[in-house]
């Protein structure tokens, strides 16, 4: 039973390019969470999705960031026109249920470096 | 003030020592989570608890809901326990608030 998968594990982009980060939840999990960890800082919630629905995106920057979790395929976190401040580790987690009463299983993260 | 406060921020221990990491929170919760982030960056969920105490191997987690406080204990610490330990608390919605983590180094 594969765990949460994220790819790529490392991504280098130049300022102004787009970054696409993918997350495949654990089998049977329909809830996906994205978190960002800036250098030397703690994890911060970004967005919570269920299949085809964004449930809570209150942690997402208002511009350039978007997320989706289509009926088929992985969840995608998309960052348009990346800037140096977007350099961070982006973690995806999945769970079977909603809210904080379910264990979340984390992926290995995607480390984004913006040059 | 952060919703979740952890202490200490950094901790160095000799192999075999008993270790305690503390977490205090100010938001209402359904369950509190302890996470472990390895030096390579991967994150593992250690415990989810809403009351009392849980034990897994050498790790013990306790929570006092009235005092809004949780502790993570490691008995007979080992260098492989070296990692960042993170306390996470969900709010009434779907967001998690994370502590800034406790960086533990266990010296042989």
């Amino acid at each position: 039973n594969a765990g949460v998968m994220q790819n790529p594990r490392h991504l280098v982009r130049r300022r102004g390019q787009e970054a696409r980060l993918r997350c495949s939840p654990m089998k049977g999990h329909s809830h996906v969470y994205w978190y960002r960890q800036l250098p030397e800082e703690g994890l911060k919630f970004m967005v919570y999705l269920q299949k085809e629905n964004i449930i809570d995106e209150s942690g997402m920057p208002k511009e350039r960031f978007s997320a989706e979790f289509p009926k088929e395929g992985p969840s995608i976190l998309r960052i348009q026109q990346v800037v140096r401040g977007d350099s961070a580790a982006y973690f995806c987690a999945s769970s079977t249920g909603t809210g904080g009463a379910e264990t979340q299983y984390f992926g290995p993260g995607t480390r984004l470096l913006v040059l | 003030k952060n919703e979740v406060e952890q202490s200490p921020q950094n901790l160095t221990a000799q192999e075999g020592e008993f270790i305690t990491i503390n977490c205090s929170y100010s938001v209402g919760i359904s369950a509190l989570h302890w996470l472990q982030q390895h030096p390579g960056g991967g994150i593992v969920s250690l415990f989810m608890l809403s009351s009392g105490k849980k034990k897994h191997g050498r790790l013990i987690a306790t929570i006092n809901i009235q005092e809004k406080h949780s502790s993570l204990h490691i008995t007979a610490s080992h260098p492989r326990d070296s990692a960042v330990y993170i306390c996470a608390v969900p709010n009434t919605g779907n967001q998690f608030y994370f502590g800034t983590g406790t960086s533990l180094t266990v010296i042989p």
Side-chain angles (χ1 to χ4, degrees):
Chain A
N1 184 14
V4 178
M5 298 173 67
Q6 288 188 250
N7 68 82
R9 296 287 301 274
H10 299 273
L11 182 60
V12 179
R13 284 287 178 265
R14 296 193 179 279
R15 281 179 297 170
Q17 291 184 318
E18 179 179 286
R20 277 181 182 247
L21 288 60
R22 294 174 188 78
C23 169
S24 297
M26 282 183 71
K27 188 176 180 181
H29 288 191
S30 59
H31 300 253
V32 166
Y33 306 79
W34 284 95
Y35 301 97
R36 178 165 66 173
Q37 188 174 39
L38 293 167
E40 306 302 321
E41 293 189 20
L43 287 160
K44 293 283 195 291
F45 168 83
M46 297 184 76
V47 62
Y48 163 46
L49 311 103
Q50 293 180 30
K51 284 285 187 181
E52 300 184 276
N53 286 305
I54 297 173
I55 307 302
D56 182 349
E57 58 181 346
S58 57
M60 288 273 273
K62 293 287 185 279
E63 297 177 348
R64 301 187 298 107
F65 284 72
S66 62
E68 62 177 14
F69 188 15
K71 187 177 180 181
E72 301 291 338
S75 175
I76 307 274
L77 179 68
R78 183 182 177 208
I79 311 172
Q80 296 177 287
Q81 298 175 334
V82 295
V83 301
R84 289 217 173 107
D86 296 333
S87 296
Y90 293 83
F91 290 93
C92 162
S94 72
S95 70
T96 56
T98 188
E102 297 286 337
T103 296
Q104 293 189 10
Y105 296 84
F106 284 79
T110 293
R111 278 136 188 91
L112 172 65
L113 175 62
V114 180
L115 301 176
Chain B
K1 186 182 187 300
N2 294 330
E3 291 84 0
V4 182
E5 299 274 357
Q6 274 186 249
S7 64
Q9 283 195 330
N10 296 286
L11 181 57
T12 300
Q14 289 292 135
E15 183 174 356
E17 284 186 13
F18 180 83
I19 288 161
T20 296
I21 299 170
N22 296 300
C23 174
S24 297
Y25 54 91
S26 59
V27 292
I29 63 166
S30 55
L32 180 143
H33 300 246
W34 280 101
L35 310 173
Q36 179 192 53
Q37 186 168 25
H38 296 288
I43 296 174
V44 174
S45 180
L46 296 175
F47 292 104
M48 180 186 66
L49 65 165
S50 55
S51 65
K53 175 180 171 179
K54 283 190 176 180
K55 185 175 189 293
H56 181 68
R58 294 180 295 104
L59 301 177
I60 303 166
T62 64
I63 188 167
N64 185 319
I65 297 291
Q66 286 74 30
E67 294 185 4
K68 293 187 182 292
H69 181 269
S70 175
S71 292
L72 177 68
H73 305 285
I74 305 175
T75 61
S77 59
H78 189 276
R80 64 174 174 266
D81 297 326
S82 298
V84 175
Y85 293 83
I86 302 167
C87 171
V89 170
N91 66 3
T92 52
N94 303 295
Q95 282 201 37
F96 271 79
Y97 295 108
F98 295 91
T100 52
T102 295
S103 179
L104 171 66
T105 302
V106 181
I107 299 170

